[in-house]
Structure formats: structure tokens, C-alpha cells
Amino acid sequence: MEQTPILKIDKVSKSFGPVQALRSVDFDLLPGEIHAIAGENGAGKSTLMNIIDGILQPDEGRIFFRGEAVEIASPAVAQRLGIGFVHQEIALCPDVSVAENICMGATATSRSLLMDYKDIDTRARAALRELSDISPAALVRDLSISQQQLVEIAKALTLDCQVLILDEPTAALTEKEAQILFGIMRRLADRGISIIYISHRMVEIFENCDRVSVFRDGQYITTRDVADITPSDVVAAMVGRVIDTLYPDKQAAHERSDEVILEIRDLTEAARFRNVSFDLRRGEILGLAGLIGAGRSEIARGICRLEGKVTGEVRLNGKPIDIRHYRDSIDQGIVYLSEDRKGDGVFLDMSIASNIAALAVEQVATRLGIVDDSREADQAVRLGQSLGLKCGHIRQPASALSGGNQQKVAIAKMLSVGPKVIFLDEPTRGVDVGAKAEIHRILRDLARQGVGIFVISSELPELIGLCDRVLVLREGEISGEVTGDAMTEENIMYLASIEQEREQTA
Amino acid sequence: MDKLAEPSAETPKPAGIAEAVKRLLGMRETGLIAIILVLFVVMSFASPYFLTWVNMRAMAMAFAVEGIVVVGMTILLISGGIDLSVGSVTALAMVIAGLLFLAGVDPWTASAVSILACTGIGAVMGFFVTRIGLHHFIVSLAVMVIARGACLLGTGGRPLGLYTLPPEFKFIGQGAIGVIPVVIVIFLVVVVAFDFMLRRTTLFRKVFYTGSNEKAAAYSGIRTKKVVFLTTTLCSALCGVAGVIYMARFGSAQPTFGIGMELNVIAAAVIGGASLKGGSGTIFGAILGAILLSVVSSSLALLDVSVYWQDIIRGSILLTAVTVDHFINKKRQQAA
Amino acid sequence: MDKLAEPSAETPKPAGIAEAVKRLLGMRETGLIAIILVLFVVMSFASPYFLTWVNMRAMAMAFAVEGIVVVGMTILLISGGIDLSVGSVTALAMVIAGLLFLAGVDPWTASAVSILACTGIGAVMGFFVTRIGLHHFIVSLAVMVIARGACLLGTGGRPLGLYTLPPEFKFIGQGAIGVIPVVIVIFLVVVVAFDFMLRRTTLFRKVFYTGSNEKAAAYSGIRTKKVVFLTTTLCSALCGVAGVIYMARFGSAQPTFGIGMELNVIAAAVIGGASLKGGSGTIFGAILGAILLSVVSSSLALLDVSVYWQDIIRGSILLTAVTVDHFINKKRQQAA
Amino acid sequence: ESKFQCEPGETYIMNVMVSAHPYWVPVYQGFKQAAEAMGCETIFSGTPDYDITKQIASFEQDLVKQPAGVLLHPMQSDPFIEPIDRAIDSGIEVVTFAADSPKSKRSAYITSDNLAEARFAAEEIVKQIGDSAEYAVLENPGQSNHDLRVTALISYMEQHYPNMKLVGRQATNQDSNAAYRATASILQANPNLGALWIPEAGSAEGAVAAVLEAKADVLIMHADVTPTTLEHIKAGNIHMALNPNQGMQGFMGFVATFMAAHSDMFDPFNDYKVSGYNPMQIPFVDNGFAVITKDNAESFDLNAYMQGRDPN
Ligand SMILES: Nc1ncnc2c1ncn2[C@@H]1O[C@H](COP(=O)(O)OP(=O)(O)OP(=O)(O)O)[C@@H](O)[C@H]1O
Ligand SMILES: Nc1ncnc2c1ncn2[C@@H]1O[C@H](COP(=O)(O)OP(=O)(O)OP(=O)(O)O)[C@@H](O)[C@H]1O
Ligand SMILES: [Mg+2]
Ligand SMILES: [Mg+2]
């Protein structure tokens, strides 16, 4: 089957100062295929996509579109060629309605003088219909990250494109939305549209894609038909070595203890969740599952007093604690890793070292409150290394890191205070397979050392593989708990959406 | 909440009074309108002269021309910029038109050239901001100083007496159509036109997108630099228009005109809900802000409050007004 | 690329002059220093009086006290705020201290009370910003008007003659330690102290976190509202200090002092690399910015440039300087 | 022995604040004319800003140039005491004009008599509209000569014409739009307003516009003059303007400064030799003011006056 590729990348290189993000990369995309790209964090995937979309210009190399050499000077040019792009980092206008955001590309190229709000509304509705019930009139600033991710996808779908790039679109989505997205992708591909799909989730790649290309350290490694290989082949090509176990061993029966670290009783916040009670035991990793908007993040943030007015009781090691501000929570040893990395997880224009020190600057300061640069640097190097952080040097601004590496910085920040209880909201969002396994192993080690670990994740395999016990949340209430062999995707999905099942049968 | 409404109260439908009241209450500007109404009621009890036609007319005249500049500033703020040079550029517009007129050019041509020159100044600022990458604040500060210098250089620091301006031209600034002064007619046309454009045209919607998240807008294929260039240029062009009208109104060109105007103009836009971070704001709100500031000043003068107390009262009313507006707005958003 | 390394310019190692030069070239302020040096060289050829001790002293005296306000403004800008009231609050500090002194309070106590009062004004602004949720711009604008009103009210609009201030007190403003005026000594102490604190202390580190990304700072357990409250208060407190020093220097309290000072002060900070969006800036840079502005003004006066040209030249130099600095800085970042 | 002539290169400086203000232009012309007559060099200096620290810096920079004397308009009196004294101690004579620094060692002060202006204006108002009418003032708090013109007029009225009623007093700070607004409001609140006194010309421009628009019959008088107010005087919209005699101010200012620098010409009958002060001491010179009306307005066109003259 010899087809002319719709898009061909020929020996493209790109560097950021001393960092060579892409080295003479080749890549081609056939009409109507779903082409996955895999690679570790910082392998250069997003950089290549940014070049294809005209956001960045290559230092060297050429791009062919439908066989002709093209120069993509800006996203506007890319749009005209028919390239649509769902960005890894959400890029929406917060002060503007969902509908206008979705139709922004059309507005940009529109020849008509006046806005046709009715048409915009219709088109936004059409694009959103399958994905979600988000109101087109809502302002983007009022949406949660996962909802914004859906809007970003809807936005790309309205473009009349030939090539659709999806850079980790499912990182913040739950299984349900992800499946809808895959359905849409399939249909687009059937209509002859080519899709580039970037993900760190092997299952998704193998279930939905036709071919997969692997990048490592800015170099193109190989392209294979998915049918011809196995996930571990891809991982081996990505990492350069074989990763045997994706998840660490679970808590052994003899390790199980009844000692409770964190006790939550009747936690309620008027609009968002009601009567949430659970125990977090020593040595276990507790998961929390639920659909988008079920209120999982709110519970964690409520406990840490990051937002909302929460009532209920919190006991740490048996003693009731009084937390008024997140600072108190940190002082008690309870920390929270945010799901919105860019919005509230990292300080983009500050150095990596300062980012990691942010939770407790006092730790890297003398007793007089003078920050000791070398201690700050040592801490960053130590934590960075333990998480496999990949960066030029730790005085670079965080904005110079790839998405996954920014996530590692955020995690390093949590770990810097030696917490007793950690709430992790989508902890491995955007993190590559190798690093993910590493993070899982670190979490398990921490649990063994007696740290209470509480994981919120939209990726069910991650919850099942990592956690000893999973709570399921539905519309602000705990609808059940699964452990041991009962921890299956079916059971969790069932508990997460009973209501809907009932509605459907009724 | 589920239907796609246009930004604020748009398409008027014959839906009954209840609906209209509800829509009014839902608007961003409701709080401000309420505050101004309260001020009007208080003032009409405090002074018998307040609610007279002549007083209303005088108050309107006092902010109408500056209101044109407020329009330009609001659009610029929405796009994420700011302009400190509005006062000097307005003065420069008077000076350029005045000098040309004194040199024998007919006043209409002189005005057109002057407005064009101001547009050019805006374009230069736009160039420095979008091409060189400097911040609006610092560029417009430099231009503020340069334009003031140009005013002084052109006039030797002396006001130009333009008493010989032909009556047809002075009509712009001093005449009336029926009972409505021409200045106010021009002001209303500018306000209505730009309010409409800002809400309904694709061009000006891009201003919102750019100001809200420049990157996202650029990723959507919007030429954000062009948008910013445009809003920067437009603001200066409107200063040119204002300057020419002032010239017709006062029959003179004052090189020192408009010192400190920038703070007033920005304050009006911000009181009216424009964000200094870009991405939000309305012409209607900004004009309400300008009205509020102007009514307060006029009222204090009407009541003959001691000069030494005026600033204190004015500042306090400003602070109270924005605080009250803030709470009303918060309530409104919670209710929505 | 794969290893975690510290950058070379950090940990000071005894590495010789080459290393020191390299570190200097790596600094944000290098461009500005270069521009100022060029200006100095040009000026010392242009005027035989430029490089005299008396001229240097006069230039330093002209910006030293305002420099203290620049320090406060820079810290406030870094935390994401802005303060338009600095000029009026400085004047109010003079007026309060002056009135108390005339009422028989000894000048030291009067000064302390006055600085405290300014701190209180800052706290009120901080309250409106952090608790009510208003924007710094509008709050400080209102306070600017109110404080100016208070100055007029307190003095009846006339300067207070404080000729009877005791010499020990006037020494602060007029005396010298050796050949160095006390004002400049105080200025240097303030600059060095705050520069150190801002770069090295945990407290001020939180100012950077807050300004860089307020939400992320809150999610790191930083009480961002307290931080902003603090920087807002500090800025006004430093205005109080500046006002008291001015009083000692001039032996009078002027209700109209410092009109327009805010733009000058903000410009200095911004030229020096502070971002109006918060999160970045240095005291050192801001002071260089103040020096640049001051040297340009002084030089034009020294060269007897026609007043009608001065503003044009001043604005153009400002624009050129920030453009050049921008390019030098870009080069530097690319090289890094 | 000294004559009324300069040594070659002998230089005198005139230093002002807000140096682009047109007020200084005729003053400096007078200064220059005297200097030319006496073979001296002159420099116009100061700061374009309304900023005392900048003016002090520019004054100190003037001293670096070692002039024979400086004719100074000190923006504030007390802040200049120390710089003026330092200048005089270093042998540079200082004379003040239009604003004084009385506690300093300056040797002379040339000014318009603002009290006389105010008295004249008060009498004229009473003459025109009677001694039991309503009047209002605009003002510019903080600028001493403007302040004086207003406060002196008010107290003169209170003393001599107790039936004159002050019905409006608004700060407009030389801003014509603010003056327009304030005047419009005053006219609203006081339909019987008879006269308006304005201490400077910028506000007068706005006030006239408001009065004309309201078609009110109000007598406007102001101090200083601009081309626009001049035209309004010609047209009868403004009754009269009182303009300080700027040329005389500059000319006398130069002569006084020269004399202070050449005090060796002069051996007065007093104790200066023992006490060591400059014998050339003049506490106060009144440069007088002109009354501008419809009839003589032609002579007060500054642009016409400046034709062919160098402003620097
Ligand atoms: N603006 C920038 N400045 C400096 N370096 C950058 C910049 N953007 C990316 N890089 C570097 O380029 C390399 C490739 O980054 P890229 O974002 O393409 O990785 P990625 O493959 O998308 O990783 P991830 O899976 O984490 O998203 C990384 O080493 C990153 O640090
Ligand atoms: N700032 C906000 N303003 C208004 N509604 C919000 C805000 N933040 C969250 N919500 C809403 O609250 C509900 C619960 O959100 P939450 O983020 O806790 O859900 P979640 O279970 O973590 O799901 P996900 O994070 O995947 O969206 C959602 O319906 C969300 O839209
Ligand atoms: Mg990426
Ligand atoms: Mg969530």
C-alpha cells in the first residue's frame, strides 16, 4: 500500500538555546490514518506539533503538505492548510463564552462583518453535543479543567480540517469522555481525515490507532503498524530499555493495618458534596474515582481548606485538627497536588528550584529567614533526580520544561515538605510511562513509610493498578467502595454512574 | 443560563416588562446605573437646580468630548493595552489643527490632517508594542512626554487664539441641533457606533479574544499583533477627534491641555467594568463610569462645597461607588 | 542536558575576573548599566560641568528621596499591585509631620506619627484590595485624590514654613557625613537593605511567588492576601519616610508636592525590568531606571537645551533606552 | 573701577519652574534686553516640570557654571533657603522674582503686587455691578500668587463692601474643562450671579465658554492673558484682564541681579562693611500691572510681540 503522505516532515531540527528539542526528525502522516506518537516527557512531541501548527519555526528542515513544500509561518497559515490542533496546555479565552471559544477559528477567518451569534450557538452546540452537556453560553473561566479540555476538543472539531492534532487530549478526561472522543476520531478517519494522536496511555494507542511513531531525546526512532507490535515494544523503543512492571506491588496482607492516619467524617459543602466520610489507613493507597464534575477535586481541596466552606470533622492520627487555611494544613503535614498544573501548580516564570521550594521556603533558609541558594538548589537536584526530572539546569524557568516535566516539578514541590498525608489530583497527568512507573513506585514507598496517600485519577487502570482500595463518588456522594478483586473498571464505572443507568432503564 | 445569550442584554425581544427588568438586573452595568440614580435622587433633593435641563446639558457637555477618548481607551484596555498619552495627544491634535488653520489651511482640512497625524502617532506606538515588543505603559509614557514637547515646540508654550475659526466649524463645538448640542450628538454617535461594533462585529470580537488570552487567540489564527496595533491606533485617532472638537468648542488650542486626563479616562473605563488585564469591558459601562465621575464633580461645584473638602469627598465617593458596585456585581453573579 | 546541573552564574566561586565579567554580562541590569554609561560618556564630552562633584551631588540629591519610593513601588509591582497615590501620600506625610511640629510636637515624634499614619493609609488600601477585592489601580486612585484633599484641608492650600525645625532634624535632609549628604546615605541604606531582603529572605520570596502566579502561591500555602496587604502597606510607609526626609530637606511642607510623581516612579521600576503583571523586578534595576530618568533630565538642563525641545528629547531617549535595553536583554537570554 | 557694563563672558541666568509656560517669555525678553544694553550674556534655565526637586537640581547645576548671578523664580520659598544661601556664600548673587524666598539671603525681590491687583479688581467689580451683588471666584489652591489674588479680593470685599455676597468658590487648577464644569454649576446654582473673578487665564477660557453657553449676563475679570481671552476681551465677553508687567519684571530683575553682583559700585551710608552683607538689598520691587480692555487689547498679542524675537 503506497500512499502519498498528506503531511511529511523532512529532517526538522529545533533548539531552545542550548537544549536541542528536535534533531533532524522525519515523520509522515497518511490520509485517513490515526497516527500515534509516543515518547518520554521532553522527547519533543509537542515541539514538533507546534512546528506543524506554525507556532514555532524549525531551525532546519522542510515540511511537505500534500507533496508540496510549505512554510507554516503562523497558526493562521496552518488553519488555512486545514490543520487543527488540540493543545496539551489548554489555550482558551477565559472571559469569553464557550461558544465563541469554539468558533474562534471560524471568526478569525470569517469574511462577514457582523457576528452571527445564532450560527455560532448552533455550531458550538453541534460540536459539544456528543462530548458533554456544557452550556455554550457559560464563560470558560467558570469551567473545570476537564470541561475546558472538552471545549478545546470541540473547538478543533469545528474546524474543517484535513489534519487533526491531538496532544494528550485525554490526560484530564475520564474513560467515558475518552471513549466518546475515540468514536469521533474513528469517524473522522473514515472520512479521510488524518489524525495525529499523542498519548502516554499505551492502551489508548493500541486500541485506537493505526500506526505509532516513537521519539526519544528529540530523535525520531521508528514508525510501526500497531498490529505488528506490542505495548512493551513501544515502551522499550521510547525509553531505550525494557520496563517490566508498570505498577508496584500492592500492600501485602501482612502489611495491612487498622491504624487510621486520616479520618474524615460527614464532610459537606453545600453545593458540591454531602456527608463524605472515609478513613485513610496506614500504608495504603486510597483511590477516588468518579465522572467529570462528580466533585472529587472539591473534596480534596475542601479538606485542605483551599476553597469552599466545608463542614465536618477531620482527624489526623486520631486527633481532631483545626485547619483554617491551607498553610495550617501544610503545617499539619497534609498537602494537595493540583490537577491544573499550569493554572495553579507551577510558577511558570520562576526557576525550577524556586518552584520546588515554594511550599516551605523556610526549609531552605537559615534560621534568620535568609534563603540559602545552595540549599535550595540541593533540594531541587535531590528531588528532581528522584523523580527523573529532565531539564537543562535547575535555574531555568519552569516554562522551559515539557508538560510532563512540569508535572514532576509540581510533585517534587509536594514531597519537599515530607508530608504525612498527600492528596494527589491526577498525579500522572501527562507523565510518560517510565516516569509514571517511577512516580507510582515512589508513592508506594512513601505509603510503606507510613505516609497516607490519596489518589484522584480519571485513568481507571491507574487507580486499579496502584490503589489498595478505591472509593467511588457520584454527584457529590460516596456511592461505594471497591477492594481486591472487585476493583474492576466495570464495577467502578457502575458505581460512578448508577443514577444514569436507572434513568436509562426507566 | 443554558441558552446562548449575546454578551449582556442583546437582541431585544417583545417579551414583556418582567423579562426586561430581569435582563436589566442581569447586566454588568446595573450596579453602576443604580449608584448614579441614587446620586441623582440625592442631588435633586440637595439642590433645586440639579434636575434642570440647563444643568443636565452642562454636565453632559463637560464629559462628552472626553467620553470619546474613553471609548478609545476602553477598547484598548480590552485588547490588553493601556495608553498614558491620551492627554498630550489630544492637546497635540488641537495644536496641529490650530497651527495649520493659522497658516491658512481651511479648518476642515486642518482637522483631517490633525486626526491623521494622531492616527500616525498611534501607529508608531502600535509598532513599538507589537513589533519591538515593549510594554504599552512605557511606550505611551514616552509618547506622552514627546507629544507634550511637540505641543510646546509648535506653540512656544503659548495658547493659540483661533477666534477667527469660521462659524460653520465652531458649530461642531458650540452649536446645537434643536436643543441638543452638536458635541453631544457626536459623542452619542461615537458611543453607539463603537458599542455596537464591539458587541457585534467580528473585527472587534477579536479584540476581546486577544485581550482575554493572546496565545489562545493567536493559536486560533487571529493576528493578535494586528489587533493590538489597531486598538492602539484607534485610541490615538479618537484623541485626534476629541482634540479637534475641543478646538472648535473653546476656539483655541492649548499646549497644556489634558494634563492628567489619562488617569480620569482610565478610571472611567475601570469603574465601568473594564479589566486592566484585558479581555473584558463595555463601552456602555465605561461611559457610565465617566458620567459618575463627572456628575460627582459637577454636584460638588453646584453645592459649593469648600474646595478643601471637595477632593476628600470626591475620592470617598469614588471608593464607595466601586465598592458598592463590586458587591452588587458579586450578588448578581451568584444569583445567575 | 540530561543531568541536573546548577547554572554557572550562581554559586560564587573564586574564579577570577573573566568569571566576574561573565556574571555581570549575565545580569538583567547589564543593558541598563551600559546605556547609563554611554550617557555619562557622551555628557562628559558635551559639558565640562557634567563630571564635577557638585553636579554629581545635585543629580544624586534630585532622585535619592524619590528613590526610596521607587523601592516601595517596585516591591508592590512584583507582588502584582500598583500604587497611584505615592505622590499625594508623600505630600501628606510632610503635611502631617509639619502640622504636628507647628502644634508643638517635637519633630522626631511628629515624623514617627506621620510615617505611622502613612502606613495606616497603606493598610486601608491593602484592606480594600485584599478583603473587598477591588483593583489596586482604582483604590489607589481614590486614595490619591483623598490624600491630596487632606493636604489642602490641613494647610489651607498654603505651604507650611518649618524654618524653626531644630538643626539636628534638618541634618537628615541637609547635612552631610563627610562629603556624602545624609539623604544619600539613607537612600543607599534603604536600597541595599531591601535589595538584600528581596533577593534573600523567605518573607520577600513569597512576594515573588504571589506576583508570579497568585493562585499557585495560594496552592503552595502562601497567604497571598497577607503578602499583598504587606507590600501595599510597605509602599505607603516608605512614602511616609520619603515625606519626612523631604520635610527635613526643604524645611517646609508643601500640600502640592509630588503631583505626577507616580508615573515617574512606576516608569523607573518598569525601565528597571519590573513587570506590570507582577512576579519580576529588582530593586537594583529600578534604581538604575530612576538614575537613567534623572540623569537625562539633569543633562538636558545642564546643556541649556531649549525647553521646547527638552520634552521631545527626553521622551525619545526614554523610548530609545527601553528599546536598546530590550534588545540587549533578548540577546542575553538567547545566549544563556 | 566698575561701570554699568559686564566683563566679557559675564553671564546671568534666569531660572524658573514649568519653563515652557508662556508667562516667562516676556519676562525673559526684558531680562535679555537689559543684559544686551549692558553687554552681558544670558541663559534661560530651569525645569519643564512642576517638581521642586528638579528645580533645585537645575538651580544647583546653574551654579556649576559659575554665573555672576541668578534671577530665580523659586517654586516654593523655604526649600530654596539653603540652596540660595549656598550660592551666595560661593559668590553667586541671587535675586528672586514673582515668588520669593524671604528667609534666604537673596538680595532683591521683583514682583507684581497681587494685593494691588486684587484691590483693583474688587473696585472694578463694584463699580460695574454695584456694591450689593453676588460674585464668585475660581481658584488654584497651592500656587501662592493665584491664591493671593483670590483671598485678597475676598477679604477686601468683606472689609469694604459687606453686602457683596460670595456665592461660589471652585478649584479649577488652570484646567479649562474643569473651569467650564465649575462655572456651569455655579451659574446653575446662582441665577443672580453678577461677576466672576479668576486668578489666571487658563480657567478663564473655560469659564467664558460656560457663561456664553448659558447666555448669562456675568462680568468676567481675570488675571494674566492668553490669545483666546484677549479675543474674548475684544468681543466684550470678558470685561477686563489684569496682566502683570512681565517685561518690567525681567528688566528690573536683571538690573537688580547685576547690581547685586557689582555691589562694589556702591558705598551706601550703613553698616554693610562691618556686618559683611551685600549692600545691594531691595526688599520689594513692584513691576506693576496693565489693565487690558477692549480698547488696548491690540497691544497684548504675545505672538505679535514675539515676531522676530528669539525666545531663548
Ligand atoms: N520554550 C522553551 N524553552 C526552552 N526549552 C524548551 C521550550 N519548550 C520546550 N523546551 C524543551 O524542549 C524539549 C522538548 O519539549 P516538548 O514539550 O516537545 O516535549 P514533549 O515530548 O511534548 O513532552 P511531554 O510528554 O512532557 O509533553 C524539552 O527538553 C523541553 O525542556
Ligand atoms: N470555579 C468554579 N466555578 C463554578 N463551578 C465550578 C468551579 N470549579 C468547579 N466547579 C464545578 O463543580 C463541580 C465539581 O468539580 P470538580 O472539579 O470537583 O470535579 P471532579 O470530580 O474533580 O471532576 P474533574 O476535575 O474531572 O472535572 C463541577 O460540576 C464543576 O463544573
Ligand atoms: Mg508535550
Ligand atoms: Mg478534578
Side-chain angles (χ1 to χ4, degrees), chain A residues 41-42 44-47 88-89 167-168 198 200 402-404 430:
Chain A
N41 294 133
K45 305 180 294 293
S46 299
T47 305
Q88 180 177 19
E89 300 299 343
D167 194 351
E168 300 194 37
I198 300 178
H200 292 296
S402 76

Coordinates of all heavy atoms in Angstrom, one line a residue, chain A residues 41-42 44-47 88-89 167-168 198 200 402-404 430, ligand 3:
Chain A
N41 N 8.6 12.1 28.4 CA 8.5 13.6 28.6 C 9.7 14.3 28.1 O 10.8 13.9 28.4 CB 8.3 13.9 30.0 CG 7.0 13.3 30.6 OD1 7.0 12.7 31.6 ND2 5.9 13.5 29.9
G42 N 9.5 15.3 27.3 CA 10.6 16.1 26.8 C 11.2 15.5 25.5 O 12.3 15.9 25.1
G44 N 10.1 15.8 22.6 CA 10.0 16.7 21.5 C 8.7 16.6 20.8 O 8.5 17.2 19.7
K45 N 7.7 15.9 21.3 CA 6.5 15.7 20.6 C 5.7 17.0 20.5 O 5.4 17.3 19.3 CB 5.6 14.7 21.4 CG 6.2 13.4 21.8 CD 5.4 12.4 22.5 CE 5.0 12.9 23.9 NZ 6.2 13.0 24.9
S46 N 5.5 17.7 21.5 CA 4.8 18.9 21.4 C 5.5 19.9 20.6 O 4.9 20.7 19.8 CB 4.6 19.5 22.8 OG 3.8 18.7 23.6
T47 N 6.9 19.9 20.7 CA 7.6 20.9 19.9 C 7.4 20.6 18.4 O 7.1 21.5 17.6 CB 9.1 20.7 20.2 OG1 9.3 20.9 21.6 CG2 10.0 21.7 19.4
Q88 N -1.7 20.6 24.2 CA -1.5 19.9 25.5 C -1.9 20.8 26.7 O -2.6 20.4 27.6 CB 0.0 19.5 25.6 CG 0.3 18.8 26.9 CD 1.7 18.3 26.9 OE1 2.6 18.8 26.2 NE2 2.0 17.4 27.8
E89 N -1.4 22.1 26.6 CA -1.8 23.0 27.6 C -3.0 23.8 27.1 O -2.9 24.3 26.0 CB -0.6 24.0 27.9 CG 0.6 23.3 28.4 CD 0.5 22.6 29.7 OE1 -0.5 22.8 30.4 OE2 1.4 21.8 30.0
D167 N -2.9 16.6 21.2 CA -1.7 16.5 22.0 C -2.2 16.1 23.4 O -2.7 17.0 24.2 CB -0.9 17.7 22.0 CG 0.5 17.5 22.6 OD1 0.7 16.5 23.2 OD2 1.3 18.5 22.5
E168 N -2.2 14.9 23.8 CA -2.6 14.4 25.1 C -4.0 14.9 25.5 O -4.2 15.5 26.5 CB -1.6 14.8 26.2 CG -0.3 14.2 25.9 CD 0.6 14.2 27.1 OE1 0.1 14.1 28.3 OE2 1.8 14.4 27.0
I198 N -1.3 12.0 20.3 CA -0.2 11.9 21.3 C -0.8 11.5 22.6 O -1.8 12.1 23.1 CB 0.5 13.2 21.4 CG1 1.1 13.7 20.1 CG2 1.6 13.1 22.5 CD1 1.9 15.0 20.1
H200 N 0.3 9.2 26.5 CA 1.2 8.3 27.3 C 0.5 7.1 27.7 O 1.1 6.2 28.4 CB 1.7 9.1 28.5 CG 2.6 10.2 28.2 ND1 3.9 10.0 27.6 CD2 2.5 11.5 28.3 CE1 4.4 11.2 27.4 NE2 3.7 12.1 27.8
S402 N 9.1 20.6 29.4 CA 7.9 20.0 28.7 C 6.8 19.7 29.7 O 7.1 19.7 30.9 CB 8.4 18.6 28.1 OG 8.5 17.7 29.1
G403 N 5.6 19.5 29.2 CA 4.5 19.4 30.1 C 4.7 18.3 31.2 O 4.4 18.6 32.4
G404 N 5.1 17.2 30.9 CA 5.3 16.1 31.8 C 6.4 16.5 32.9 O 6.2 16.1 34.1
G430 N -0.1 13.6 32.0 CA 0.9 14.0 31.0 C 2.3 13.4 31.3 O 3.2 13.8 30.7
Ligands
MG3 MG 4.1 17.7 25.3

